[in-house]
Amino acid sequence: MHGAHHRDPAGDATLTEVADGVHAYVQPPGGWCLNNAGVIHDGGHSALVDTAATEARARGLRAAALRIAPRPPRAVVSTHFHGDHTYGNCLFPEALVIGHERTRSMVLAAGKHMAGLWPEVCWGDIDITPPQLTFRDRTTLHVGDVRAEIVHIGPAAHTTDDTVVWLPDQRVLFTGDLVMNGVTPFCAMGSVSGSLDALDRLRALGADTVVPGHGPVGGPGLLDANQAYFRYVRDLAADGAAAGLAPLELARTAGPGPYAGLLDPERLLPNLHRAYAEQQGREPGAPLDIGALFEEMSLYRGGRPACAA
């Protein structure tokens, strides 16, 4: 029955059926490191969209997946390289990990970088597990009768390896971190312009149900809300640069504005850095110093960004 909820015994995550054979695994409230995943199944076999940040949370996801399908997932699709979506891959040894070719190289390059940003988190026994099957533009995964279109959305939006999983028959879209709900969007490793373009591409798919990378499941209105945020950042950065303000000065002057209700408002700062870089002609996705941005976010919010994983 659609809308049925099951409580995850390992935490406060919920598993909700959003279409026949399609479940969203949501870890509230969805801030730093509390990502969403998906379980696609045909009654026998199953596949996952993303995993989770820590060993304990990935074990919770595994238990949830095994409650609705008798066998462990045979495939895991990684929507991008960030550790909250990929660290748990190692808890699914039976599965073939599928991802964009850049996702493989970036998972290997990043290693346990996220664990270094938040050393106080109990990450558990994480063995970095990159995609074993890679693609360049798009590929299709069949889970029984469920067709999952796996599409790279480039060149640079949330990251440079963003991948979505689109189920055309069910009209369900797993967006990875291209879309957030109730959580401040984040494009420090991608671009503002690319995020706006990506959301146009996603809208054209015609989804009825949108499973964001973080926050509650929603509808196509989530695409509009995220696009409005990136337009706000783009315009704020243009005004700030014209006034000669550095990103930190601008963020302190403007504050979160109409987006004060979103989790992790400190992300405004790295998003402004990215917008400034684009205005200065830097290529979308050109690397910024993420460590320095985290330090500046800590200054802006009066303490390190809080990871609840």
Side-chain angles (χ1 to χ4, degrees):
M1 184 178 72
H2 298 177
H5 288 264
H6 304 278
R7 277 283 163 189
D8 173 12
D12 50 7
T14 57
L15 187 69
T16 303
E17 188 170 25
V18 296
D20 288 337
V22 185
H23 286 73
Y25 185 83
V26 176
Q27 299 187 97
W32 291 110
C33 304
L34 294 182
N35 68 300
N36 298 334
V39 186
I40 304 166
H41 66 94
D42 67 347
H45 297 296
S46 66
L48 296 182
V49 180
D50 286 331
T51 55
T54 67
E55 179 187 357
R57 287 186 174 274
R59 288 191 185 282
L61 172 59
R62 184 179 175 92
L66 288 172
R67 281 202 302 275
I68 58 173
R71 289 185 284 274
R74 297 174 68 183
V76 170
V77 181
S78 294
T79 62
H80 62 295
F81 78 96
H82 287 162
D84 49 338
H85 297 258
T86 59
Y87 280 178
N89 290 358
C90 60
L91 271 295
F92 298 89
E94 307 90 348
L96 179 70
V97 182
I98 303 167
H100 188 257
E101 57 191 17
R102 286 186 59 82
T103 304
R104 176 177 172 83
S105 59
M106 292 169 80
V107 164
L108 290 169
K112 296 183 181 178
H113 174 73
M114 185 171 278
L117 291 173
W118 287 287
E120 71 281 3
V121 170
C122 181
W123 297 96
D125 186 11
I126 295 298
D127 182 21
I128 297 298
T129 306
Q132 297 140 328
L133 179 67
T134 61
F135 67 96
R136 183 159 299 164
D137 297 312
R138 61 190 304 147
T139 190
T140 306
L141 176 66
H142 297 271
V143 186
D145 292 332
V146 180
R147 186 170 93 247
E149 302 287 347
I150 305 170
V151 185
H152 175 236
I153 306 290
H158 173 65
T159 61
T160 57
D161 65 315
D162 298 307
T163 294
V164 300
V165 179
W166 166 233
L167 311 181
D169 297 328
Q170 292 76 16
R171 316 305 293 176
V172 175
L173 176 64
F174 291 91
T175 66
D177 285 358
L178 290 170
V179 176
M180 309 280 190
N181 186 10
V183 183
T184 305
F186 186 60
C187 66
M189 299 181 190
S191 71
V192 177
S193 58
S195 294
L196 290 167
D197 292 344
L199 289 158
D200 281 339
R201 286 186 63 185
L202 299 189
R203 188 181 289 104
L205 294 173
D208 293 330
T209 303
V210 175
V211 183
H214 296 254
V217 175
L222 294 184
L223 307 178
D224 301 333
N226 279 254
Q227 208 158 37
Y229 175 83
F230 284 118
R231 287 196 190 103
Y232 170 76
V233 170
R234 178 194 63 194
D235 296 346
L236 183 63
D239 292 344
L245 295 175
L248 181 57
E249 292 177 278
L250 177 58
R252 283 176 165 161
T253 301
Y259 297 99
L262 299 182
L263 291 176
D264 307 327
E266 66 272 12
R267 292 178 184 172
L268 173 64
L269 184 61
N271 291 340
L272 288 173
H273 272 278
R274 175 55 68 184
Y276 272 46
E278 286 179 74
Q279 288 176 12
Q280 293 159 7
R282 293 196 67 188
E283 194 73 20
L288 301 181
D289 186 337
I290 298 302
L293 290 181
F294 259 73
E295 292 307 316
E296 206 168 296
M297 273 195 290
S298 301
L299 281 175
Y300 175 63
R301 77 185 295 272
R304 290 186 68 74
C307 171

